[in-house]
Amino acid sequence: QVQLVESGGGLVQAGGSLRLSCAASGRTFSSYAMGWFRQAPGKEREFVATIRWSGSSTYYTDSVKGRFTISRDNAKNTVYLQMNSLKPEDTAVYYCAAGVRAYYYGYDVRPEEYAYWGQGTQVTVSS
């Protein structure tokens, strides 16, 4: 069973930065893509970013391009989301997720393409 534990959320002013971490256990971490999603109150869960199993390629939703950076350290079984220039509309619960296709070279952007999820961490950006 794969376990994902997020950390690093909090309250920050607009324009500030946060770094989320997601520690994984229970499976060969380096073989699978990892993703970050977020869900604001009253809204559906939306894709934020994904990183290939090797770390060689990343993909972002348009609203965070140039502000957020996803990265991974396969030696530490951890994926990160560096969030800069935060905006109030970034306020949400952020979830990390682990993909199901080993050594996949595409980009998983739909929630159903991920089999394992963390418990979520709250990010609140004040104006």
Side-chain angles (χ1 to χ4, degrees):
Q1 185 71 13
V2 176
Q3 292 185 328
L4 303 174
V5 179
E6 300 105 333
S7 61
L11 173 64
V12 64
Q13 288 188 332
S17 299
L18 283 174
R19 188 195 196 202
L20 306 183
S21 300
C22 174
S25 62
R27 185 174 72 168
T28 304
F29 176 79
S30 59
S31 301
Y32 298 88
M34 295 294 295
W36 285 96
F37 288 75
R38 64 188 180 186
Q39 188 166 18
K43 296 188 177 181
E44 293 186 353
R45 189 169 298 190
E46 68 167 341
F47 167 78
V48 175
T50 185
I51 186 166
R52 193 169 286 169
W53 55 273
S54 61
S56 62
S57 187
T58 58
Y59 183 77
Y60 301 88
T61 191
D62 286 346
S63 62
V64 308
K65 284 180 181 177
R67 300 189 298 122
F68 291 11
T69 302
I70 187 172
S71 62
R72 66 191 296 163
D73 185 337
N74 285 343
K76 295 182 178 180
N77 288 358
T78 302
V79 63
Y80 305 96
L81 185 68
Q82 177 66 45
M83 304 185 294
N84 298 330
S85 302
L86 282 161
K87 304 175 180 180
E89 51 263 43
D90 295 318
T91 295
V93 177
Y94 283 71
Y95 298 90
C96 72
V100 295
R101 291 178 281 190
Y103 305 112
Y104 179 56
Y105 277 88
Y107 296 117
D108 293 328
V109 300
R110 297 177 299 165
E112 55 266 33
E113 293 173 318
Y114 292 83
Y116 304 100
W117 295 82
Q119 81 286 355
T121 186
Q122 177 70 45
V123 172
T124 303
V125 184
S126 63
S127 58

